[in-house]
């Protein structure tokens, strides 16, 4: 005897008539009760995206069995997970603590369905925070010479912990193209600027010099093309002429942690699907 | 031979398994292509709500025919309309012009799917604006003695123009309970306050006296229970200690017109469904 | 020999011509360099408010000496402090940790000029957080019978630590009228609602039942008249029809900590002056 | 005998001690009552900026006389105007009507202290709106060959109407470097993007392709260096993955008119002072 479970089904495929009926019909065959369903057909890419939450009193095998003909017929890329299952997550940090603090706090308070299996840092400054939240801390120093070795170590940790997600929570190192490709779609970065905008170094100083009236932050998937990965979430904060660079940075940190927390939550809840350079976010 | 039309189907019924599959299956029988679909099951009221946009190469009769068994089986309240068809709308105003201006401008610029069939006012101050936008203007004065007569005249105009929606665009008269019931779910009011909050007269003066840091506006369906109708949209604007009542009012007018325009658009696009005292808004 | 210090002068008095000139003239007598100056004359209360930051190469006695004739002549209430001096602060909490976490984190990261001299709680649940941030923790249980005794203990702690500010950081007890009067203008409360609005218990449940589209939080000075103290800061977050009470509460906590952090910072920087039931906030 | 007038004094000069006292002292000599005063010393540029509203029972000559020694001593650039005096303004438009509508409406409703002395357009599409608001309309066609001639005509209109401000209210022509220099600090442009960001043509299409989650608009002073003039105001609006380019544009127009209206009001109220590439905005 099985208990009723709520499943999340996400899928994408070339758009054509009948997809919703086919999926809903297959689930109805198991007496599934669809409690949430969202979809989007992108007229530009020609792709169709769908996210369904469905209560079913049946094991995963049954779901897979009834879905198989549909996913094959429509050429779907798809995924099936249980609602609320925490995503095994590696947090990568350097010395700035605001994002680590915020994500760890949200996990502990039950607001964020992730399970931080490792905190990896090229410094030791944040070990105390990891200890407080009882998160395994790995110090992996990086120099120009040891970069390849450090990335190998990161991959080892990801593999060993069976991590599903890597969050660059103000990790001040650029990942190699190879690593980006290896972990494609599984690495979220928080960019301390409102993309597309001040790229590169010291964005708050650039923002101050340009005299902007809003500063922002952008959470996006990391890709080999730096700062060009699909955007998941952005937000801004109003600034005044008398806010100096330090104040912009302090306000920026508040936006960064807010934006990153939202992006990680939506990803962990399987609400984000990649559509070329864009994302579909089923909030 | 018919052309492909995009239809909007909205429905609500008691929640139980199989609704999505039944609806999607019926539409698939006509080779319908679902381009947008949203749903919500309210665990509190036990009601299920759904909005579907579907492209079908068939006349309304065919749609009605395939949907009939489904809507009967599930006890659905439902509605079927063509995407983009302008809703015949009566605007009611007094002397404040900002909402009239904004709605008329948005209709003309093609941003708002309404067709203003009448502007009704208890004053003549705004006739010039109605004339500029070539909207039929009706002066229906109201005094305590003539209120019943004025409401009868309003109903006559609504009937004669076959109006589907009445917007109280800063109409400073309270509708009678009877009229509210007669037009239930078809009257949208803009309340110059952030409900639930300063009710009754002079809310901006009350807000100033209380020293609030945000002022807001609320668009809601008008019900006999004043200011208690289901909320469609709300928004706020930040205010400072040196904003006097006149400035609060000026800022408030900006919020009012923004909030009202959104509420009217969502209603006209059949995105708003009433769920007891609450609304479901499928944006 | 003295070093150049930046002072903050705040003052209020009945409004009449010449105040700015008198104050600026007195400070110019010490070769003071005014780096920031804000003022507000409230036409309703007839009161004038001013906040000046001034760099002076002189001790406090000199400042007091040159200001004395001015403050006497105009009947000023005034205060003089050094920029950046942390305010000795008592945090009062119960079991909800989000505000404590946020304030402690901001103090440690140097973003908030407070020095938390005590964390007082009627529970022990948050002792671990206080320990992590190395803040002295006091467990002061409260029952109906021991309320007077508990408040006496609180006053003792405030006195012993020479605390200048008490922050009710989700402290779920109502302070007695006597205590409110005793600490008048020195107690900041975070109210989990957008005042004036859902007062009393379970505001998020009330907000959900009413179907609001925004939820908010309000930081205000605590007064004997519950929820009626002068408002310092408010903010809101957008909610959707499918956010249940638990989600409203989670989103509400984010707004609460943001609003409270701003209010505490502005108070600690002497940017908030009370004007009857309202506040003047010189941001 | 003169009536009491409220004056706005704005000034900037190299920063050094004593400026506030000198200005306030001079005004106190005329029994002036300072009702609003804001200042900012920019540590980067070394410049000091001030805006004072002062009630004086004296003619302009007296004010000029008492201020002369101060402005000379400190090397001030300064300006003196009467509160509420409408700024003579030329609006330049092409075919998009939203900004023209909004500014004209705000002027008529008394919310914007400008006096539109001419609407200049390279098309005739918006003549009806100008007529409705009783604003003089000038059709000045522009081709590559006649550009110099058209700009000469614009300058003639500016001169003839004694215009103090030119607003590019979605005027789709680039002004020549010479004209920008000629009208330096007196031309406000609304840029349909969140600067620094998508520059050049079709920013909403670029924004859509990049998959941004916020779109914005920027009001700035026009300079010879296109899109690089000092920013006065910016704002954003949240967008979703299913908003197509047309919807982004519709939402963008709402942001544009809001941002432009604020920038024009602040400029007309002498709240904006230019500080190199940045602006000081005394709101």
């Amino acid at each position: 005897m099985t208990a009723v479970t709520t499943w999340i089904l996400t899928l994408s495929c070339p758009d054509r008539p009948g997809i919703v009926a086919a999926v809903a019909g297959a689930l109805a065959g198991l007496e599934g009760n669809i409690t949430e369903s969202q979809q989007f057909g992108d007229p530009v890419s020609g792709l169709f995206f769908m996210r369904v939450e469905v209560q079913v009193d049946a094991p995963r095998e049954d779901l897979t069995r009834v879905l198989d003909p549909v996913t094959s017929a429509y050429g779907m890329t798809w995924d099936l997970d249980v609602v609320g299952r925490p995503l095994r997550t590696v947090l990568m940090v350097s010395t700035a603590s605001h994002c680590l603090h915020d994500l760890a706090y949200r996990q502990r308070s039950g607001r964020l369905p992730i399970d931080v299996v490792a905190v990896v840092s090229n410094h030791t400054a944040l070990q105390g925070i990891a200890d407080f939240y009882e998160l395994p801390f790995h110090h992996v120093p990086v120099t120009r010479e040891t970069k390849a070795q450090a990335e190998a170590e990161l991959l080892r940790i990801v593999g060993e912990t069976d991590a599903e997600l890597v969050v660059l929570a103000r990790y001040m190192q650029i990942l190699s193209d190879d690593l980006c490709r290896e972990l494609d779609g599984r690495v979220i970065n928080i960019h301390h600027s409102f993309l597309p905008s001040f790229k590169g170094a010291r964005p708050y100083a650039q923002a101050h010099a340009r005299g902007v009236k809003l500063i922002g932050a952008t959470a996006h998937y990391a890709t080999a093309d730096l700062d060009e990965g699909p955007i998941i979430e952005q937000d801004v904060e109003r600034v005044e002429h008398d806010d100096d660079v330090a104040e912009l940075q302090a306000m920026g940190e508040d936006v960064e942690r807010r934006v990153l927390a939202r992006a990680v939550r939506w990803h962990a809840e399987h609400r984000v699907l990649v559509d070329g350079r864009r994302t579909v976010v089923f909030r």
Side-chain angles (χ1 to χ4, degrees), chain A:
Chain A
M1 189 198 136
T2 59
V4 172
T5 305
T6 304
W7 296 88
I8 307 171
L9 170 67
T10 48
L11 59 89
S12 67
C13 62
D15 199 0
R16 59 186 172 103
I19 302 174
V20 177
V23 172
L27 297 173
L30 292 174
E31 303 282 315
N33 186 25
I34 294 179
T35 56
E36 194 176 323
S37 170
Q38 285 156 298
Q39 55 170 89
F40 173 61
D42 183 348
V44 178
S45 68
L47 293 177
F48 176 90
F49 301 85
M50 192 171 185
R51 181 186 188 277
V52 180
E53 292 195 10
V54 58
Q55 296 173 330
V56 178
D57 183 4
R60 176 184 279 265
E61 303 82 73
D62 288 9
L63 270 162
T64 307
R65 184 176 40 76
V66 300
L67 288 169
D68 247 6
V70 177
T71 57
S72 301
Y74 287 89
M76 291 173 177
T77 303
W78 63 290
D79 188 54
L80 193 65
D81 203 348
V82 171
V83 160
R85 184 185 69 82
L87 225 58
R88 288 181 303 278
T89 302
V90 170
L91 302 183
M92 302 202 62
V93 298
S94 288
T95 58
S97 64
H98 55 290
C99 288
L100 171 58
H101 250 299
D102 197 64
L103 294 173
Y105 170 73
R106 287 175 193 274
Q107 173 192 335
R108 169 173 286 187
S109 62
R111 301 295 192 208
L112 195 60
I114 61 171
D115 174 15
V116 177
V117 291
V119 175
V120 177
S121 182
N122 54 338
H123 294 88
T124 55
L126 306 185
Q127 173 142 22
I129 299 172
D131 290 351
F132 174 65
Y133 286 103
E134 297 171 344
L135 308 174
F137 184 85
H138 303 256
H139 180 214
V140 181
V142 182
T143 64
R144 192 174 298 181
E145 290 70 32
T146 63
K147 181 164 180 142
Q149 190 182 328
E151 292 202 339
E153 174 66 6
L154 169 63
L155 272 181
R156 197 195 57 75
I157 295 169
V158 167
E160 196 176 274
T161 57
D162 206 12
E164 301 160 283
L165 174 65
V166 174
V167 178
L168 307 180
R170 304 294 284 124
Y171 179 65
M172 305 305 284
Q173 300 289 319
I174 294 169
L175 303 190
S176 71
D177 291 8
D178 282 353
L179 190 62
C180 284
R181 269 186 288 269
E182 176 91 20
L183 298 173
D184 187 43
R186 295 161 60 197
V187 181
I188 295 177
N189 183 42
I190 179 71
H191 185 89
H192 49 172
S193 181
F194 182 79
L195 288 175
S197 178
F198 306 112
K199 299 180 185 177
R202 308 193 65 230
Y204 293 117
Q206 289 184 63
H208 186 265
R210 183 63 186 89
V212 299
K213 300 302 184 187
L214 299 171
I215 54 162
T218 302
H220 63 94
Y221 289 111
T223 56
D225 192 356
L226 192 66
D227 296 345
E228 289 294 327
I231 295 171
I232 304 169
E233 170 65 346
Q234 302 186 287
D235 209 346
V236 294
E237 194 86 6
R238 182 165 287 273
V239 299
E240 309 285 342
H241 57 260
D242 56 356
D243 292 315
D244 61 19
V245 176
E247 281 162 317
L248 294 198
Q249 190 168 333
M251 298 166 78
E253 289 181 0
D254 273 4
V255 189
E256 288 166 19
R257 66 183 195 174
R258 196 161 78 222
V259 166
L260 183 59
R262 278 191 214 131
V264 170
R265 181 159 64 82
W266 295 338
H267 177 94
E269 294 175 353
H270 304 283
R271 297 186 179 280
V272 190
L273 288 88
V274 174
D275 178 20
R277 285 181 71 206
R278 316 177 73 232
T279 61
V280 174
V281 182
F282 290 128
R283 295 195 298 165

